[in-house]
Amino acid sequence: DTGELAWGEGVGPGRLPEPDALLAHIARTLERPSFAGKRVVVTAGPTREAIDPVRFISNRSSGKMGVAVAAAAWRRGADTILVAGPLAVDPPVGPAVIRVETVADMDEAVRAELPAADVLVMAAAPADFRPKRAAASKLKRVHGAGAARVLELETTEDILAGSRHLRRPGAVVVGFALETEDVVANARAKLASKDLDMIVVNDATQPGAGFEVDTNKVAILYRDGSSEDLPLLSKDEVAEAILDRVEALLHGR
Ligand code: CTP
């Protein structure tokens, strides 16, 4: 690693890497390189949409799921790029990380990476709405009983649907859906409208599923109409399960 060296030798190459980095590299060395030569783009985390210079609209996504997928793809030998909104967890060791803040930034980064990607895993939770205009200076409190401030919202870019024409032929595209009602029907509709190969569905009403937890209870729906329910797993195990399915799809093409 590069950085400050022991024994007052200054700054430069030769530093002992952090234990997490060493472990990640050891894990990659021991893993079967089933994604060697493949380029995998993963998105993670929420976005932030400015209301004024100090306030924003965001959501509870931690980025854990996307970070787990990126780390697992890199361990399997993929050339891995993580497009990350503001994460509540450390970024993974290995993948190249592109930091973004808004949906518009994330859309631009995905559009730039998509033409070279063999796989896109869209695990991020980009905002669906943003303030129509971000105020140039901090909005003041409105005084008086019942005083209200109205914020006008506009719809953001649908990153998956809007960038479909940039996909490489044969690329495998995976979406996520967090639903609270009509879970399977809603997810099937998203699979079709966003032109996905697989959609990983979270039922947010199930214990151990959704945001800000380390586990996930998901079902996976496929383009051909089939589906499977996975048991309650850690987000790392869900990441491995998703990549097993992506690998099978890639090898079938
Ligand atoms: N997604 C996207 N662009 C957005 C919002 C979401 O590409 N602006 C992606 C997510 O990363 C996810 C999938 O679309 O992989 C489904 O996200 P979700 O928020 O469940 O779907 P929406 O299309 O936003 O539908 P709704 O919120 O109305 O359920």
Side-chain angles (χ1 to χ4, degrees):
D1 204 356
T2 300
E4 194 158 327
L5 303 174
W7 314 114
E9 288 172 39
V11 174
R15 188 184 153 83
L16 183 71
E18 294 300 322
D20 279 357
L22 286 172
L23 285 171
H25 281 274
I26 292 166
R28 189 185 213 222
T29 305
L30 297 177
E31 190 103 28
R32 195 167 53 87
S34 53
F35 278 75
K38 300 292 180 198
R39 199 172 174 89
V40 176
V41 176
V42 182
T43 67
T47 60
R48 288 181 178 172
E49 309 301 327
I51 296 172
D52 67 19
V54 298
R55 306 186 180 93
F56 54 79
I57 296 178
S58 192
N59 62 63
R60 295 183 188 281
S61 168
S62 63
K64 278 181 191 162
M65 193 63 243
V67 166
V69 172
W74 182 77
R75 279 198 299 275
R76 293 181 187 209
D79 178 11
T80 311
I81 292 153
L82 179 68
V83 177
L87 302 174
V89 294
D90 288 336
V93 173
V97 180
I98 300 173
R99 303 267 187 184
V100 297
E101 177 145 327
T102 64
V103 176
D105 297 341
M106 188 175 280
D107 189 47
E108 193 182 317
V110 169
R111 283 167 178 265
E113 296 302 327
L114 206 47
D118 297 290
V119 178
L120 171 65
V121 180
M122 195 72 201
D128 288 318
F129 327 98
R130 72 182 147 229
K132 205 161 178 179
R133 279 169 303 276
S137 49
K138 189 185 166 202
L139 295 174
K140 295 309 240 180
R141 168 189 285 272
V142 279
H143 293 278
R149 189 181 275 289
V150 176
L151 200 57
E152 202 180 345
L153 302 177
E154 65 180 13
T155 299
T156 56
E157 300 81 2
D158 183 332
I159 300 173
L160 273 175
S163 64
R164 330 164 26 159
H165 62 290
L166 296 171
R167 294 178 195 167
R168 215 171 141 155
V172 173
V173 180
V174 182
F176 280 72
L178 183 73
E179 304 288 347
T180 53
E181 56 193 1
D182 299 329
V183 176
V184 173
N186 280 333
R188 275 255 164 251
K190 280 180 195 171
L191 180 111
S193 68
K194 296 177 194 256
D195 192 14
L196 305 176
D197 295 289
M198 307 169 23
I199 191 159
V200 182
V201 193
N202 277 293
D203 181 344
T205 62
Q206 298 254 329
F211 288 154
E212 296 176 321
V213 293
D214 287 320
T215 53
N216 235 351
K217 177 84 184 69
V218 303
I220 304 182
L221 311 184
Y222 298 91
R223 192 192 279 279
D224 67 4
S226 63
S227 65
E228 58 181 327
D229 283 307
L230 301 189
L232 186 67
L233 298 172
S234 71
K235 288 190 174 171
D236 287 323
E237 291 168 323
V238 173
E240 298 289 353
I242 291 167
L243 290 179
D244 287 345
R245 275 82 179 162
V246 169
E247 205 175 304
L249 286 174
L250 274 179
H251 291 155
R253 287 185 173 171

